[in-house]
Amino acid sequence: MGGLGTNISSTTSFTLTGFPQMKGLEHWLAALLLLLYAISFLGNILILYIIKEEQSLHQPMYYFLCLLSVNDLGVSFSTLPTVLVTVCFHTPEMTFDACLAQMFFIHFFSWTESGILLSMSFDRYVAICNPLRYSTVLTDAHVVHMGMFIIVRSFCMVFPLPFLLKRLSFCKANVLSHAYCLHPDLIRLPCGDITVSYIYGLFIVLFSFGLDSALILLSYVLILHSVLAIASREERLKTLNTCVSHMCAVLIFYVPMVCVSMVARYGRHAPWYVHTLMSLIYLFVPPMLNPVIYSIKTKQIHRRICKILLATRI
């Protein structure tokens, strides 16, 4: 019995699964991944620069967009090293502590992004349903407090996860389904009792993603109710158009996140390409598409990008 309770986690390493079925195409895959990372990096940096320079964008919605861009950069930097090392250099081994650290940052940024999207939906709700109170409800101080609360909440929820895993014994074949470390993937590997870790992981998922998505849905129900009360069809479309970017950001975040979580928990026997596809979408799509969407749908950002492109041509 004592042997079963012994913690051997400190001497355990994990084998990351890259894309073994694409043998011979690693260079093309690495080039694609680097391109996606470059688009994400340059796009989010450009968003931050434009919002800083454009006085008309110094508003709560774009402050939240800045926070979203910083968060997306964090997602990219927390996963880039292991993904590229696994794909390009065929070095899939990762120490236990390094894996826990990466898991912490990936989930921290995921929960932070969920909170940012909730704050942005609240911004849209106040702007459309209570426009006269917008400047008093969403002051700069309130925006800072909301941002701090999102970060502290994410940290407090994710902080126990590495310690709960570290107390377990890993004595199975420690092969992960992705080229990075996720809690749903790690939690299926211990040979001891995982009840506490499993219940806590499920609880924080429901408390954060579940609650956030429910509140986002509620805000859009209230927004839609308010918009339908507008007599003019043109005004209704114009008002809804201000929410399109945020709605797209919500969908491209929550849909891949739910899919990768479900595949990791219940799709152990799913074909390899399902895990690979979910891995790529979950990591690369939101950080890459968020700046693209806001660049297209926000006139001030779109106009400033056009000016930058014209200046570089000259």
Side-chain angles (χ1 to χ4, degrees):
M1 294 294 290
L4 291 175
T6 302
N7 187 333
I8 61 171
S9 298
S10 59
T11 60
T12 301
S13 63
F14 294 100
T15 301
L16 303 174
T17 301
F19 309 95
Q21 291 77 7
M22 301 184 71
K23 192 173 182 179
L25 300 174
E26 292 92 343
H27 296 299
W28 292 102
L29 182 59
L32 174 61
L33 295 177
L34 283 172
L35 176 63
L36 295 175
Y37 272 119
I39 293 172
S40 173
F41 177 76
L42 294 175
N44 285 295
I45 289 293
L46 192 59
I47 290 289
L48 292 171
Y49 170 77
I50 291 173
I51 292 176
K52 176 181 176 293
E53 295 296 319
E54 194 73 38
Q55 290 293 323
S56 62
L57 296 178
H58 292 182
Q59 302 173 29
M61 183 65 178
Y62 301 105
Y63 295 150
F64 290 130
L65 179 56
C66 281
L67 191 55
L68 183 64
S69 292
V70 172
N71 191 78
D72 284 340
L73 289 172
V75 172
S76 297
F77 286 127
S78 64
T79 55
L80 175 63
T82 59
V83 173
L84 288 182
V85 166
T86 302
V87 173
C88 300
F89 302 105
H90 307 289
T91 311
E93 293 295 322
M94 191 174 191
T95 64
F96 183 79
D97 290 333
C99 192
L100 289 185
Q102 186 183 55
M103 179 204 71
F104 172 86
F105 283 110
I106 290 176
H107 288 295
F108 170 76
F109 289 124
S110 294
W111 269 293
T112 301
E113 184 150 349
S114 180
I116 295 168
L117 293 173
L118 175 59
S119 298
M120 295 172 87
S121 71
F122 177 70
D123 173 274
R124 291 298 85 203
Y125 163 75
V126 176
I128 293 171
C129 299
N130 295 285
L132 296 179
R133 297 185 58 195
Y134 184 82
S135 59
T136 56
V137 172
L138 284 165
T139 62
D140 290 349
H142 289 164
V143 170
V144 171
H145 292 156
M146 290 170 70
M148 292 300 297
F149 174 78
I150 291 167
I151 294 170
V152 171
R153 185 193 72 159
S154 300
F155 179 84
C156 290
M157 286 192 298
V158 180
F159 186 72
L161 289 180
F163 296 99
L164 290 174
L165 284 172
K166 202 169 179 64
R167 57 184 282 275
L168 298 172
S169 296
F170 289 77
C171 53
K172 298 180 183 179
N174 297 332
V175 180
L176 301 180
S177 303
H178 308 290
Y180 51 89
C181 300
L182 288 178
H183 183 263
D185 210 13
L186 287 166
I187 198 63
R188 64 184 177 84
L189 298 179
C191 53
D193 185 8
I194 62 169
T195 303
V196 175
S197 295
Y198 184 85
I199 290 176
Y200 180 74
L202 188 61
F203 167 75
I204 58 178
V205 166
L206 294 175
F207 179 75
S208 58
F209 295 136
L211 181 62
D212 290 354
S213 58
L215 291 174
I216 290 171
L217 180 61
L218 175 62
S219 70
Y220 273 104
V221 169
L222 296 174
I223 287 171
L224 188 60
H225 181 267
S226 180
V227 168
L228 291 176
I230 300 174
S232 170
R233 182 174 179 274
E234 291 183 1
E235 286 298 319
R236 288 200 298 267
L237 292 175
K238 184 179 178 181
T239 303
L240 285 175
N241 191 52
T242 63
C243 302
V244 170
S245 298
H246 178 255
M247 287 189 289
C248 291
V250 169
L251 290 175
I252 64 175
F253 172 73
Y254 278 105
V255 172
M257 183 271 297
V258 171
C259 290
V260 78
S261 180
M262 295 297 289
V263 168
R265 290 177 184 273
Y266 308 111
R268 298 179 188 179
H269 304 295
W272 67 270
Y273 56 81
V274 173
H275 291 278
T276 301
L277 184 62
M278 288 299 101
S279 171
L280 289 173
I281 292 175
Y282 177 71
L283 267 186
F284 301 112
V285 170
M288 181 189 67
L289 284 187
N290 281 335
V292 174
I293 291 169
Y294 279 95
S295 298
I296 294 172
K297 295 299 296 181
T298 306
K299 291 181 179 178
Q300 297 96 320
I301 296 178
H302 183 75
R303 197 180 303 124
R304 190 63 181 254
I305 290 175
C306 290
K307 287 182 180 179
I308 293 173
L309 292 175
L310 288 173
T312 54
R313 285 183 182 180
I314 296 173

